[in-house]
Amino acid sequence: MPLLQLRDVTKAYGGIIAVNGASFDVAEGEITALIGPNGAGKTTAFDTISGVVVPDSGAITFDGEDITGLMSHVITKHGLGRTFQITRELSDMTVLENMVVSTISNDLGSLLRSRIAADERDRAMELLAFVGIERLADEPAKSLSYGQRKLLEFAAVLMTEPRLILLDEPAGGVNPALLERIMDRIEEINRKGVSFLIVEHNMDVVMRLSHSVVVMAHGQVILQDTPQVVREDHRVLDAYLGDV
Ligand SMILES: Nc1ncnc2c1ncn2[C@@H]1O[C@H](COP(=O)(O)OP(=O)(O)OP(=O)(O)O)[C@@H](O)[C@H]1O
Ligand SMILES: [Mg+2]
């Protein structure tokens, strides 16, 4: 049984059918890439999985349980983590505070500014060291470079110890040295048995990391196969060329 399963998931915004009857699987222990041209519906698919939006129809199961339409904090408790969007409000906090806030609901975040439990601080510092930004722990998050924010988001999602991690464009706009570090860390976490679903436009990253690739275009899944097969399939190239 796949760890995550989407069956005929549809989500429309007014007249735009952002996700249109999409079905795909994420196998336990694997890294699955979700690719497709701009506007294909990848982020909206993430939004339906992580409880940011409720799909209009279809079903999403995680570890055999129906999670369709559950609220995002409930989905997080099931063991599904998504890269944490760093808002302007959170950016006023330090890097370390952002790490701790990511484990609880946003409204409670301000209560924590004054006091962070020692064990949480230790775990946060360990994860910041894991992604290589522990020296920035006491800096305001807003002072981080774009690439460092990507590392912070990744470290923050690890705080909840998810079984499946959804990353939306982890390599986007990141310099080659940081990109290498991000890919290394994804592989290291994956070796510990954590599964990933990764939206990514950088095909080198997709080819290196993924065991399976889902291709979306116009809200629909046009195929799911190994990276080798997907690379050779003319429908994938057609989908991208059709976009320009
Ligand atoms: N909140 C929203 N309100 C209205 N339309 C939306 C909303 N979110 C997405 N859309 C539309 O749904 C379609 C799919 O968008 P989505 O962001 O899911 O694509 P994507 O595959 O993530 O694209 P990209 O690669 O550019 O990030 C687009 O036409 C987009 O304009
Ligand atoms: Mg997107």
Side-chain angles (χ1 to χ4, degrees), residues 93-111:
M93 295 189 220
T94 69
V95 167
L96 183 63
E97 285 163 345
N98 267 280
M99 290 289 287
V100 176
V101 160
S102 70
T103 64
I104 54 161
S105 86
N106 288 353
D107 301 345
L108 291 174
S110 55
L111 292 177

mmCIF file of all heavy atoms in Angstrom, residues 93-111:
data_model
loop_
_atom_site.group_PDB
_atom_site.id
_atom_site.type_symbol
_atom_site.label_atom_id
_atom_site.label_comp_id
_atom_site.label_asym_id
_atom_site.label_seq_id
_atom_site.Cartn_x
_atom_site.Cartn_y
_atom_site.Cartn_z
ATOM 1 N N MET A 93 11.107 37.161 14.118
ATOM 2 C CA MET A 93 11.687 36.326 15.169
ATOM 3 C C MET A 93 13.076 35.863 14.748
ATOM 4 O O MET A 93 13.464 35.955 13.591
ATOM 5 C CB MET A 93 10.828 35.090 15.378
ATOM 6 C CG MET A 93 9.459 35.380 15.898
ATOM 7 S SD MET A 93 8.697 33.804 16.332
ATOM 8 C CE MET A 93 7.073 34.099 15.753
ATOM 9 N N THR A 94 13.797 35.320 15.722
ATOM 10 C CA THR A 94 15.114 34.758 15.385
ATOM 11 C C THR A 94 14.934 33.425 14.665
ATOM 12 O O THR A 94 13.841 32.840 14.651
ATOM 13 C CB THR A 94 15.956 34.497 16.656
ATOM 14 O OG1 THR A 94 15.355 33.431 17.383
ATOM 15 C CG2 THR A 94 16.085 35.745 17.521
ATOM 16 N N VAL A 95 16.027 32.954 14.113
ATOM 17 C CA VAL A 95 16.046 31.656 13.441
ATOM 18 C C VAL A 95 15.609 30.556 14.410
ATOM 19 O O VAL A 95 14.757 29.719 14.090
ATOM 20 C CB VAL A 95 17.470 31.392 12.888
ATOM 21 C CG1 VAL A 95 17.635 29.946 12.454
ATOM 22 C CG2 VAL A 95 17.763 32.348 11.730
ATOM 23 N N LEU A 96 16.150 30.576 15.620
ATOM 24 C CA LEU A 96 15.807 29.553 16.615
ATOM 25 C C LEU A 96 14.320 29.598 16.975
ATOM 26 O O LEU A 96 13.661 28.556 17.067
ATOM 27 C CB LEU A 96 16.665 29.745 17.872
ATOM 28 C CG LEU A 96 16.484 28.712 18.979
ATOM 29 C CD1 LEU A 96 16.900 27.316 18.512
ATOM 30 C CD2 LEU A 96 17.273 29.100 20.220
ATOM 31 N N GLU A 97 13.784 30.804 17.156
ATOM 32 C CA GLU A 97 12.356 30.929 17.471
ATOM 33 C C GLU A 97 11.487 30.384 16.343
ATOM 34 O O GLU A 97 10.458 29.746 16.588
ATOM 35 C CB GLU A 97 12.014 32.398 17.763
ATOM 36 C CG GLU A 97 12.515 32.850 19.123
ATOM 37 C CD GLU A 97 12.565 34.370 19.279
ATOM 38 O OE1 GLU A 97 12.478 35.087 18.266
ATOM 39 O OE2 GLU A 97 12.711 34.815 20.414
ATOM 40 N N ASN A 98 11.901 30.636 15.101
ATOM 41 C CA ASN A 98 11.169 30.083 13.964
ATOM 42 C C ASN A 98 11.114 28.561 14.017
ATOM 43 O O ASN A 98 10.102 27.957 13.663
ATOM 44 C CB ASN A 98 11.858 30.493 12.650
ATOM 45 C CG ASN A 98 11.267 31.755 12.073
ATOM 46 O OD1 ASN A 98 10.222 31.703 11.435
ATOM 47 N ND2 ASN A 98 11.909 32.868 12.310
ATOM 48 N N MET A 99 12.189 27.948 14.439
ATOM 49 C CA MET A 99 12.246 26.491 14.531
ATOM 50 C C MET A 99 11.222 25.970 15.524
ATOM 51 O O MET A 99 10.542 24.975 15.275
ATOM 52 C CB MET A 99 13.643 26.049 14.994
ATOM 53 C CG MET A 99 14.734 26.250 13.989
ATOM 54 S SD MET A 99 14.587 25.106 12.617
ATOM 55 C CE MET A 99 15.094 23.570 13.392
ATOM 56 N N VAL A 100 11.111 26.621 16.652
ATOM 57 C CA VAL A 100 10.220 26.138 17.710
ATOM 58 C C VAL A 100 8.762 26.424 17.354
ATOM 59 O O VAL A 100 7.886 25.590 17.564
ATOM 60 C CB VAL A 100 10.619 26.767 19.060
ATOM 61 C CG1 VAL A 100 9.639 26.354 20.135
ATOM 62 C CG2 VAL A 100 12.029 26.345 19.420
ATOM 63 N N VAL A 101 8.533 27.591 16.766
ATOM 64 C CA VAL A 101 7.182 27.965 16.372
ATOM 65 C C VAL A 101 6.622 26.986 15.345
ATOM 66 O O VAL A 101 5.422 26.717 15.310
ATOM 67 C CB VAL A 101 7.195 29.412 15.816
ATOM 68 C CG1 VAL A 101 5.986 29.681 14.954
ATOM 69 C CG2 VAL A 101 7.239 30.389 16.969
ATOM 70 N N SER A 102 7.495 26.399 14.534
ATOM 71 C CA SER A 102 7.021 25.516 13.477
ATOM 72 C C SER A 102 6.349 24.267 14.014
ATOM 73 O O SER A 102 5.636 23.588 13.298
ATOM 74 C CB SER A 102 8.186 25.124 12.554
ATOM 75 O OG SER A 102 9.070 24.269 13.236
ATOM 76 N N THR A 103 6.566 23.953 15.282
ATOM 77 C CA THR A 103 5.984 22.729 15.830
ATOM 78 C C THR A 103 4.595 22.952 16.413
ATOM 79 O O THR A 103 3.909 22.017 16.772
ATOM 80 C CB THR A 103 6.866 22.132 16.953
ATOM 81 O OG1 THR A 103 6.897 23.063 18.037
ATOM 82 C CG2 THR A 103 8.266 21.859 16.463
ATOM 83 N N ILE A 104 4.181 24.199 16.523
ATOM 84 C CA ILE A 104 2.884 24.473 17.136
ATOM 85 C C ILE A 104 2.074 25.404 16.252
ATOM 86 O O ILE A 104 2.559 25.888 15.254
ATOM 87 C CB ILE A 104 3.054 25.136 18.522
ATOM 88 C CG1 ILE A 104 3.936 26.386 18.376
ATOM 89 C CG2 ILE A 104 3.602 24.160 19.526
ATOM 90 C CD1 ILE A 104 3.798 27.334 19.516
ATOM 91 N N SER A 105 0.820 25.649 16.633
ATOM 92 C CA SER A 105 -0.008 26.494 15.780
ATOM 93 C C SER A 105 0.496 27.940 15.857
ATOM 94 O O SER A 105 0.993 28.399 16.874
ATOM 95 C CB SER A 105 -1.463 26.401 16.209
ATOM 96 O OG SER A 105 -1.711 27.309 17.236
ATOM 97 N N ASN A 106 0.378 28.636 14.734
ATOM 98 C CA ASN A 106 0.971 29.970 14.610
ATOM 99 C C ASN A 106 0.549 30.951 15.695
ATOM 100 O O ASN A 106 1.346 31.754 16.151
ATOM 101 C CB ASN A 106 0.597 30.575 13.262
ATOM 102 C CG ASN A 106 1.341 29.898 12.133
ATOM 103 O OD1 ASN A 106 2.213 29.069 12.385
ATOM 104 N ND2 ASN A 106 1.001 30.237 10.921
ATOM 105 N N ASP A 107 -0.717 30.866 16.103
ATOM 106 C CA ASP A 107 -1.236 31.839 17.067
ATOM 107 C C ASP A 107 -0.491 31.776 18.403
ATOM 108 O O ASP A 107 -0.381 32.752 19.116
ATOM 109 C CB ASP A 107 -2.724 31.590 17.335
ATOM 110 C CG ASP A 107 -3.518 31.684 16.052
ATOM 111 O OD1 ASP A 107 -2.975 32.214 15.070
ATOM 112 O OD2 ASP A 107 -4.659 31.221 16.055
ATOM 113 N N LEU A 108 -0.007 30.604 18.700
ATOM 114 C CA LEU A 108 0.672 30.440 19.978
ATOM 115 C C LEU A 108 2.123 30.883 19.910
ATOM 116 O O LEU A 108 2.796 30.962 20.935
ATOM 117 C CB LEU A 108 0.630 28.969 20.406
ATOM 118 C CG LEU A 108 -0.746 28.447 20.795
ATOM 119 C CD1 LEU A 108 -0.679 26.946 21.055
ATOM 120 C CD2 LEU A 108 -1.244 29.155 22.045
ATOM 121 N N GLY A 109 2.579 31.168 18.711
ATOM 122 C CA GLY A 109 3.990 31.476 18.522
ATOM 123 C C GLY A 109 4.500 32.579 19.417
ATOM 124 O O GLY A 109 5.574 32.446 20.018
ATOM 125 N N SER A 110 3.699 33.628 19.548
ATOM 126 C CA SER A 110 4.178 34.768 20.310
ATOM 127 C C SER A 110 4.402 34.418 21.781
ATOM 128 O O SER A 110 5.277 34.981 22.426
ATOM 129 C CB SER A 110 3.191 35.919 20.184
ATOM 130 O OG SER A 110 1.918 35.484 20.580
ATOM 131 N N LEU A 111 3.620 33.458 22.291
ATOM 132 C CA LEU A 111 3.781 33.054 23.685
ATOM 133 C C LEU A 111 5.161 32.454 23.943
ATOM 134 O O LEU A 111 5.661 32.479 25.056
ATOM 135 C CB LEU A 111 2.725 31.998 24.054
ATOM 136 C CG LEU A 111 1.290 32.469 24.104
ATOM 137 C CD1 LEU A 111 0.371 31.291 24.414
ATOM 138 C CD2 LEU A 111 1.140 33.561 25.157
#
